[in-house]
Amino acid sequence: MQTVRWVIERDQAAADHPAVLRAAQVIRLGGLVAFPTETVYGLGANALDARAVAGIYRAKQRPLNDPLIVHVASPADVEALADLSGLRERAQALIARFWPGPLTLVLPRRPALPALVSAGLDTVAVRMPNHPVALALIRASGVPLAAPSANRFGHVSPTTAQHVLDDLDGHIDAVLDGGPTTIGVESTVLDLTCDPPRILRPGGVTREQLQAILPGVLPIAPVVAAAGQAMPSPGTSPVHYAPRARLIICRDTGELLRRREACLAQGRSVGLLLRADQRAACQACHPYFMLGDGLDEVARNLYAGLRALDALGVDDILVTAVPREGLGEAIADRLARAAAKTQD
Ligand code: TXA
Ligand code: MG
């Protein structure tokens, strides 16, 4: 299969833009189109078409027990996918505050939605992305889009169209290239079907922000799936978000420099993921990738950094831990999972 790349400026995005119209036609015919959201690129298919949804799992080599997020272009579209009775007030308060945006709500699934979207669970994960290209594509398609991150299963999520092609070229119909994503880590997944609601995956909306609306929200808990069963949120499994290289998380810059020397002494090649304030102390260390300053920039650049150092073929990637506060919770979560995978 030939994968087409359509470039579209985010401020040109509209449901009647030629690239969006062509992409929407592919979706309506049951094809697969990758598109930008504010978090990471998604791999979209018509959520109401079980065959199209099956194509997503195939292209990503994603296990069938790993449910997908359904993307909508308006809060009103949730009602057709999920049964809000009993939790309407909570859902609406969260939607009013955070949509469009990086919050995914896990809700009771309406039976009309193909079970494959939810990997057979009786719930469905829904979000309204805050990106003009994503919203234009959903509107032009006229259907909700099932869309996981547009990477090979288990790999680092894509934050540019080139990342998507690096993983999926030849396996999907098209990618809408709307430039790099702005948040850089995935949405927060919040389970509203339990009481109190529980965070299944930390992401772009922070725990502190959620607790300001719903004070009882529970932080993430470890998830274990029985063989063959759908996992409540398999993004919480350590096989996710992993680069090829070994990732080592250090407490501070001093430890980072010591570990680097130790790895080099073993004949291993080392790349560093650095924050701006570490540059002076690490001036002589190459290669490195600059994550920038502050948690927003670190989140935005993290996956590009992991991919860039991986592409250089380093054996080890060293990075300093971030505080588990605000967006730091999502960053620390992804770093820990990437490190866990490679220590197996
Ligand atoms: O930011 C994002 O969420 C991106 C963009 C494209 O929207 N999407 C994304 O999708 O990260 P994916 O498939 O890579 O991760 C979806 C996460 C997984 O951890 C999955 O287990 C969880 O959401 N999930 C989906 N449906 C669920 C459900 N019914 N119950 C519990 N967790 C669910
Ligand atoms: Mg993913």
Side-chain angles (χ1 to χ4, degrees), residues 174-197:
V175 54
L176 276 171
D177 182 351
T181 62
T182 48
I183 294 181
V185 291
E186 299 85 347
S187 63
T188 303
V189 180
L190 180 69
D191 189 352
L192 273 191
T193 66
C194 52
D195 194 11

Side-chain angles (χ1 to χ4, degrees), residues 135-218:
L135 294 173
L137 177 63
I138 302 166
R139 288 188 182 122
S141 303
V143 291
L145 295 186
S149 52
N151 50 282
R152 257 186 305 106
F153 179 71
H155 197 208
V156 178
S157 288
T159 54
T160 66
Q162 188 57 50
H163 293 163
V164 175
L165 292 170
D166 290 345
D167 276 21
L168 298 175
D169 195 6
H171 299 276
I172 63 176
D173 295 291
V175 54
L176 276 171
D177 182 351
T181 62
T182 48
I183 294 181
V185 291
E186 299 85 347
S187 63
T188 303
V189 180
L190 180 69
D191 189 352
L192 273 191
T193 66
C194 52
D195 194 11
R198 183 185 285 282
I199 297 173
L200 299 178
R201 178 178 72 180
V205 169
T206 67
R207 173 162 49 103
E208 296 85 342
Q209 287 175 312
L210 288 175
Q211 285 171 340
I213 305 285
L214 292 182
V217 165
L218 296 176

Side-chain angles (χ1 to χ4, degrees), residues 64-91:
L64 290 168
N65 68 345
D66 193 345
L68 309 176
I69 296 173
V70 180
H71 296 67
V72 295
S74 144
D77 297 342
V78 174
E79 303 274 352
L81 307 169
D83 179 2
L84 293 185
S85 42
L87 38 82
R88 181 166 275 106
E89 212 174 314
R90 280 178 174 183

